[in-house]
């Protein structure tokens, strides 16, 4: 009985981790001048990094990626390029890496967002 419970718990953890890994969001920051260390802190000092998000569909993964475009540090981070994959397939964000509209673009962040490109 104990083995069955342990096996069930292990299986539940494996399924949860598999769902989380289905949605991977990549964030690449462009720092304001002289703010690289602070801007990249959220990626352990690197300009870009991946985060695993919990999502059960492409739409949920896309919504999660879009949220990563939000920028509350206007004088630290100038711009972000946010891309996402769901079950290994790249999702369309609607923008090129420059932030200009692109029907096939994988970036989720528009260049004309009011919280981006605001370095002081």
């Amino acid at each position: 009985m104990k083995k069955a419970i342990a096996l069930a718990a292990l299986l539940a953890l494996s399924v949860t981790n598999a769902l989380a890994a289905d949605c991977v969001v990549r964030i690449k920051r462009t720092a304001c001048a002289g703010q690289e260390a602070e801007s990249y802190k959220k990626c352990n000092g690197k300009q870009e990094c991946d985060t695993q998000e919990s999502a059960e569909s492409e739409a949920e993964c896309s919504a999660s990626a879009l949220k990563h475009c939000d920028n509350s540090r206007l004088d630290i981070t100038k711009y972000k390029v946010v891309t996402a994959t769901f079950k290994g397939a790249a999702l369309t964000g609607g923008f090129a890496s420059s932030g200009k509209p692109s029907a096939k673009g994988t970036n989720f962040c528009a260049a004309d967002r009011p919280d981006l490109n605001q370095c002081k």
Side-chain angles (χ1 to χ4, degrees), residues 61-78:
C61 187
S62 293
S64 182
L66 184 59
K67 287 180 186 176
H68 281 282
C69 291
D70 293 348
N71 182 29
S72 61
R73 304 179 314 160
L74 303 179
D75 57 338
I76 295 171
T77 299
K78 179 178 181 179

Side-chain angles (χ1 to χ4, degrees), residues 91-102:
L91 299 179
T92 301
F95 299 94
S97 60
S98 64
K100 293 182 180 180
S102 170

Side-chain angles (χ1 to χ4, degrees), residues 16-110:
T16 301
N17 287 337
L19 286 176
D22 283 349
C23 179
V24 178
V25 176
R26 175 167 280 269
I27 305 150
K28 181 178 181 181
R29 290 175 174 80
T30 300
C32 293
Q35 296 294 325
E36 291 80 6
E38 187 63 29
S39 181
Y40 304 161
K41 207 181 260 188
K42 292 184 176 184
C43 283
N44 295 318
K46 297 178 183 174
Q47 185 179 17
E48 58 187 291
C49 60
D50 294 339
T51 64
Q52 294 184 353
E53 302 291 329
S54 193
E56 294 182 19
S57 66
E58 287 184 8
E60 283 185 22
C61 187
S62 293
S64 182
L66 184 59
K67 287 180 186 176
H68 281 282
C69 291
D70 293 348
N71 182 29
S72 61
R73 304 179 314 160
L74 303 179
D75 57 338
I76 295 171
T77 299
K78 179 178 181 179
Y79 186 67
K80 296 179 187 179
V81 173
V82 176
T83 58
T85 59
F86 184 74
K87 295 186 178 183
L91 299 179
T92 301
F95 299 94
S97 60
S98 64
K100 293 182 180 180
S102 170
K104 295 181 181 179
T106 57
N107 180 19
F108 283 83
C109 304

